[in-house]
């Protein structure tokens, strides 16, 4: 840590706090020097949810440990006791919601953080014991742990590509459709004030994710037998209920504080497109509010950010698709987004981060474009009316085709943000799915849902 600039160099405050906690646990730092967690925040549930979002169970677990190891007397102690009781309810509720398996959202890192706090408090041995057992059961032979399972996310990207290529009626997709139906959450998540009807990353007890809920709702609407089914209606109802007052969408908690899990332009654009795909009219209040929110979040140069992908290409591309689907492809915000993408195009026809990349290694200039960014930009430009046989589209397509591997897949790059500006990962399923989707759009000339030409490249 010191060789990399120390804890103070971490751009994400929550990660800096966890690093200090680790130093304390490792005996490198006096626990008394750590800033106190503001336990009183838990006594205002609405504010706590908006400030912490998905970090609420982690905060609650760490609060339990602090209440035991750094107790206070008098009125402050009584306040901490009340907050500790609420923290315990939050942790136990999240634990019971996942059938008391010990897992928290199927994520070893998240489960580990919560287990540390609960175990140090000594107040809920059943929870910490079950979580420790779950972690041991999921340890890899080499001693590490995998990233959380993303099977529903992988499936949604793959299905989106296949539907774009005209495979909606392929019987092999019926199993994926049934899996989507089973994974929709049929119980609410009270700690985060989330109603039922959402989707998460993987299991039927995943934590709420607006991005997955938008994607899967739209996909089910396009798959045979589900256009107006109950799963689509519940997904659309959840998205409508969870729209921020400003018109944007946050990851899991309505009106979350900006930053971290708060309002995200790319996620907002995806939610708007999902509502339009599921039958909402461009003049519907939810759609209009969402589009206005995108206009406010757009930078002067036309770009928009994404909380969960590095750089500016992903967010700008998603917003361009949303404006175009709503019939605003020729208006100011859409024109600015399109112009930004065309300016960001690299000489070889590919696309990269699109400019600002706070998480990049200092002094390292991106040497080449990525499959993911090129596919996002190509698909968005085609949606906005870019000619399929025009220079930008053909150059991007040739670049993608030149990079397809012998097994049919595409190489992946670390464009996915796991911890914003702190840790990224690459994902071959996402890269391949995005490339197929963009090339399919080019192949059909924008005629989504046409039958594929079997046997053609």
């Amino acid at each position: 840590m010191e060789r990399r600039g120390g804890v103070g160099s971490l751009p994400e405050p929550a990660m800096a706090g966890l690093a200090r906690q680790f130093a304390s646990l490792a005996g490198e730092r006096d626990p008394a020097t750590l800033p106190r967690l503001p336990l009183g925040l838990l006594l205002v549930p609405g504010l706590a949810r908006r400030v912490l979002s998905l970090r609420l169970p982690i905060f609650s677990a760490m609060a339990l440990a602090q209440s035991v190891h750094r107790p206070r007397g008098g009125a402050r102690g009584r306040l901490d006791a009340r907050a500790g009781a609420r923290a315990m309810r939050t942790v136990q509720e999240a634990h019971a919601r996942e059938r008391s398996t010990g897992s928290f959202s199927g994520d070893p890192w998240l489960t580990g953080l919560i287990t540390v706090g609960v175990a140090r408090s000594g107040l809920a041995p059943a929870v910490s014991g079950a979580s420790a057992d779950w972690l041991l059961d999921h340890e890899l032979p080499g001693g590490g742990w995998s990233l959380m399972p993303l099977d529903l996310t992988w499936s949604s990207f793959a299905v989106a590509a296949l539907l774009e290529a005209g495979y909606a009626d392929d019987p092999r997709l019926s199993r994926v459709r049934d899996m989507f139906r089973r994974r929709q959450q049929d119980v609410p998540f009270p700690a985060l004030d989330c109603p039922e009807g959402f989707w998460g990353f993987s299991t039927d007890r995943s934590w709420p994710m607006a991005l997955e809920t938008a994607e899967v709702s739209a996909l089910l609407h396009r798959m045979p037998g589900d256009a107006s089914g109950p799963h689509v209606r519940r997904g659309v109802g959840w998205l409508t209920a969870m729209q921020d007052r400003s018109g944007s969408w946050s990851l899991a908690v309505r009106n979350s504080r900006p930053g971290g899990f708060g309002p995200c332009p790319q996620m907002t654009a995806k939610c708007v497109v999902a509502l339009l795909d599921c039958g909402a009219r461009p003049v519907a209040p939810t759609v209009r509010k969402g589009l206005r929110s995108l206009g406010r979040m757009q930078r002067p140069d036309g770009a928009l950010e994404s909380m969960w992908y590095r750089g500016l290409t992903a967010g700008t591309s998603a917003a361009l698709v949303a404006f175009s689907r709503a019939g605003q492809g020729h208006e100011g915000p859409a024109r600015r987004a399109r112009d930004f993408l065309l300016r960001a195009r690299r000489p070889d026809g590919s696309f990269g981060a699109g400019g600002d990349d706070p998480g990049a290694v200092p002094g390292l200039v991106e040497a080449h474009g990525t499959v993911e960014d090129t596919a996002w930009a190509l698909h968005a430009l085609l949606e906005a009316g870019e000619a399929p046989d025009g220079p930008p589209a053909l150059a991007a397509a040739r670049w993608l085709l030149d990079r397809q591997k012998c097994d049919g897949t595409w190489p992946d790059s670390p464009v996915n943000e796991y911890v914003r500006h702190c840790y990224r990962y690459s994902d071959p399923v996402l890269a391949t799915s995005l490339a197929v989707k963009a090339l399919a759009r080019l192949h059909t000339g924008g005629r989504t849902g046409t039958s594929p030409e079997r046997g053609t490249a």
Side-chain angles (χ1 to χ4, degrees):
M1 281 294 298
E2 291 304 320
R3 285 197 302 271
R4 293 176 179 269
V7 173
S9 68
L10 290 171
E12 170 55 52
M15 282 303 299
L18 290 174
R20 294 187 183 97
Q21 288 279 354
F22 177 80
S24 172
L25 290 170
E28 299 292 332
R29 186 185 183 111
D30 183 355
T33 65
L34 296 177
R36 276 190 172 274
L37 296 175
L39 302 190
L41 181 64
L42 295 175
L43 298 178
V44 189
L47 179 61
R49 286 192 292 265
R50 292 191 296 274
V51 170
L52 298 169
S53 186
L54 293 185
R55 297 190 185 111
L56 179 60
I58 302 173
F59 182 94
S60 297
M62 295 298 180
L64 291 175
Q66 178 177 286
S67 67
V68 171
H69 289 272
R70 300 177 65 184
R72 299 190 293 185
R76 291 179 176 179
R78 291 191 292 274
L79 180 71
D80 289 349
R82 290 176 56 206
R86 188 173 292 277
M88 178 66 76
R89 287 200 298 273
T90 298
V91 171
Q92 289 180 327
E93 179 186 285
H95 179 252
R97 185 182 177 280
E98 300 189 49
R99 303 187 180 91
S100 301
T101 60
S103 160
F104 289 91
S105 196
D107 185 346
W109 186 59
L110 179 61
T111 301
L113 291 175
I114 294 174
T115 304
V116 166
V118 176
R120 293 196 76 221
S121 76
L123 298 176
V127 174
S128 57
S131 296
D133 289 342
W134 185 88
L135 287 168
L136 290 170
D137 288 343
H138 288 77
E139 182 184 6
L140 298 174
W145 280 264
S146 295
L147 190 69
M148 72 178 78
L150 299 172
D151 50 310
L152 192 140
T153 305
W154 294 324
S155 299
S156 68
F157 272 76
V159 170
L162 291 168
L163 293 182
E164 192 76 66
Y167 283 82
D169 295 323
D170 193 301
R172 288 171 290 185
L173 290 185
S174 63
R175 290 179 295 171
V176 187
R177 180 195 61 202
D178 294 342
M179 182 272 290
F180 284 157
R181 292 170 174 171
R182 291 194 305 272
R183 298 289 179 87
Q184 189 173 29
Q185 310 291 284
D186 58 2
V187 294
F189 201 142
L192 300 179
D193 196 27
C194 282
E196 57 86 29
F198 59 86
W199 280 273
F201 290 132
S202 54
T203 70
D204 63 347
R205 285 295 181 267
S206 282
W207 290 18
M209 302 289 162
L211 199 53
E212 273 68 21
T213 302
E215 294 277 13
V216 177
S217 296
L219 292 174
L220 282 175
H221 188 270
R222 294 175 61 188
M223 300 176 83
D226 265 303
S228 58
H231 298 280
V232 174
R233 290 198 302 271
R234 288 162 61 199
V236 169
W238 190 88
L239 289 173
T240 302
M242 298 302 291
Q243 187 175 27
D244 296 336
R245 283 191 296 269
S246 66
S248 61
W249 271 269
S250 302
L251 182 64
V253 175
R254 184 171 181 264
N255 299 320
S256 289
R257 184 181 65 177
F261 303 111
C264 170
Q266 188 249 4
M267 192 154 46
T268 298
K270 288 286 187 180
C271 290
V272 167
V273 171
L275 294 175
L276 290 168
D277 283 354
C278 291
R281 295 172 60 84
V283 296
T286 50
V287 174
R288 293 174 63 188
K289 286 176 61 179
L291 293 173
R292 285 198 298 267
S293 173
L294 288 174
R296 290 193 298 271
M297 291 188 284
Q298 190 174 34
R299 299 177 2 155
D301 61 1
L304 291 99
E305 293 186 68
S306 172
M307 301 299 293
W308 300 103
Y309 299 103
R310 65 85 196 254
L312 300 169
T313 301
T316 307
S317 299
L320 181 56
V321 172
F323 289 128
S324 301
R325 292 281 185 91
Q328 299 182 15
H330 298 292
E331 298 183 14
R335 287 201 310 272
R336 289 192 293 273
R338 177 181 177 276
D339 291 346
F340 174 86
L341 290 177
L342 291 175
R343 289 196 306 271
R345 191 164 63 104
R346 302 176 65 85
D348 60 4
S350 68
F351 291 80
D356 293 355
D357 184 11
V361 176
L364 178 65
V365 178
E366 191 173 47
H368 52 74
T370 71
V371 169
E372 296 88 344
D373 289 309
T374 304
W376 274 318
L378 174 57
H379 188 270
L381 289 170
L382 291 170
E383 283 270 6
E386 189 71 32
D389 57 353
L394 287 181
R398 290 192 187 101
W399 189 91
L400 287 173
L401 290 170
D402 287 344
R403 277 145 189 83
Q404 188 177 25
K405 297 191 288 187
C406 294
D407 63 359
T409 64
W410 271 265
D412 49 314
S413 301
V415 301
N416 307 278
E417 297 270 28
Y418 183 61
V419 178
R420 186 162 168 76
H421 304 328
C422 291
Y423 176 69
R424 291 174 177 162
Y425 65 96
S426 56
D427 193 313
V429 178
L430 270 62
T432 297
S433 298
L434 289 169
V436 170
K437 182 178 179 181
L439 291 171
R441 184 73 176 179
L442 182 76
H443 179 63
T444 60
R447 301 184 303 277
T448 303
T450 57
S451 298
E453 298 177 15
R454 308 291 181 175
T456 63

